[in-house]
Amino acid sequence: GENVEQHPSTLSVQEGDSAVIKCTYSDSASNYFPWYKQELGKGPQLIIDIRSNVGEKKDQRIAVTLNKTAKHFSLHITETQPEDSAVYFCAASFTGGGNKLTFGTGTQLKVEL
Amino acid sequence: DVKVTQSSRYLVKRTGEKVFLECVQDMDHENMFWYRQDPGLGLRLIYFSYDVKMKEKGDIPEGYSVSREKKERFSLILESASTNQTSMYLCATGLSDTQYFGPGTRLTVL
């Protein structure tokens, strides 16, 4: 089955700096890659996703890049703010796989003032 | 907005008890999922369902069962709770690939 590895497990940045979280996946059939943000005491919330026919997607300060050949994808947050502090999860799935997501182990992002 | 509600935010049970965790969604989605979340392990899929009365095992189904009698409701059952089932339980609902999560139930088994 699919295996998703996520790094780093913790990340501390200064407010205004950029943050990058990286994930690799093992199953070349995977074609959907969402990112979730989980704030304290809440369930994960989808913040951005990318499909395998696209190399990059942007939404304001958040972007995701995908390298299908290397089987890795990354989340980029620019101009970080304190409210970006949360746990971020990457995930992967493939169409026809029952819409099952395989998640990475999470990254605790802390944005310091 | 998609709304996924879970019956309890916090639950404390004793070893050997039968535990029911309820999840309700209001978006008429066909797919529903149960995950458990543990530090350093991420989210792991327990069971999922893509239709009423249908269920499929996820990656860690042992010690759990599920019930889906109505489209909007998906229940997770711990037949005989054990201390290693102390965890955060997350329900999700989905349309195609995208999944939407509830707030979670933190279960402690003493």
Side-chain angles (χ1 to χ4, degrees):
Chain A
E2 175 66 277
N3 181 51
V4 177
E5 293 190 0
Q6 182 173 348
H7 299 282
S9 57
T10 61
L11 179 59
S12 186
V13 299
Q14 294 292 316
E15 184 180 6
D17 287 351
S18 295
V20 181
I21 302 170
K22 298 181 179 182
C23 289
T24 59
Y25 61 99
S26 61
D27 191 343
S28 55
S30 289
N31 57 7
Y32 175 66
F33 307 93
W35 285 89
Y36 286 83
K37 175 183 180 182
Q38 186 177 28
E39 297 175 331
L40 202 59
K42 297 183 178 180
Q45 182 179 13
L46 179 70
I47 55 172
I48 196 167
D49 56 12
I50 191 168
R51 297 186 185 276
S52 58
N53 58 348
V54 174
E56 183 174 358
K57 185 175 178 181
K58 232 179 159 181
D59 183 3
Q60 299 183 336
R61 296 186 296 108
I62 293 172
V64 57
T65 58
L66 171 65
N67 183 326
K68 285 193 298 183
T69 304
K71 289 192 278 193
H72 66 69
F73 56 113
S74 300
L75 178 72
H76 305 253
I77 306 173
T78 58
E79 299 172 23
T80 53
Q81 300 168 3
E83 51 265 39
D84 294 329
S85 295
V87 179
Y88 292 82
F89 291 97
C90 63
S93 74
F94 65 94
T95 305
N99 299 313
K100 292 190 300 178
L101 289 172
T102 301
F103 283 85
T105 50
T107 297
Q108 174 76 61
L109 173 64
K110 184 176 180 182
V111 179
E112 297 176 334
L113 297 170
Chain B
D1 274 359
V2 177
K3 188 161 187 187
V4 182
T5 57
Q6 295 185 229
S7 50
S8 306
R9 293 303 303 273
Y10 299 93
L11 208 52
V12 180
K13 296 292 181 181
R14 298 230 172 253
T15 302
E17 278 193 80
K18 190 168 186 176
V19 182
F20 293 87
L21 301 182
E22 301 282 334
C23 176
V24 178
Q25 52 108 351
D26 68 351
M27 285 304 293
D28 203 35
H29 287 168
E30 292 181 346
N31 303 327
M32 296 189 77
F33 306 83
W34 275 106
Y35 295 88
R36 64 176 283 176
Q37 181 179 10
D38 300 289
L41 297 178
L43 280 72
R44 293 180 292 165
L45 182 64
I46 304 171
Y47 266 97
F48 66 105
S49 168
Y50 50 87
D51 202 352
V52 175
K53 296 194 185 293
M54 302 299 288
K55 60 183 180 184
E56 294 282 346
K57 292 180 179 178
D59 300 318
I60 51 164
E62 296 78 20
Y64 304 95
S65 62
V66 290
S67 173
R68 192 161 181 205
E69 296 296 319
K70 293 185 178 181
K71 192 174 187 178
E72 67 271 17
R73 189 179 296 269
F74 192 35
S75 303
L76 180 69
I77 304 157
L78 286 67
E79 295 290 342
S80 177
S82 63
T83 55
N84 62 12
Q85 292 178 310
T86 291
S87 187
M88 170 70 86
Y89 289 88
L90 290 161
C91 173
T93 181
L95 191 63
S96 186
D97 297 322
T98 307
Q99 292 185 22
Y100 303 90
F101 284 84
T105 295
R106 185 164 292 283
L107 173 67
T108 301
V109 183
L110 301 175

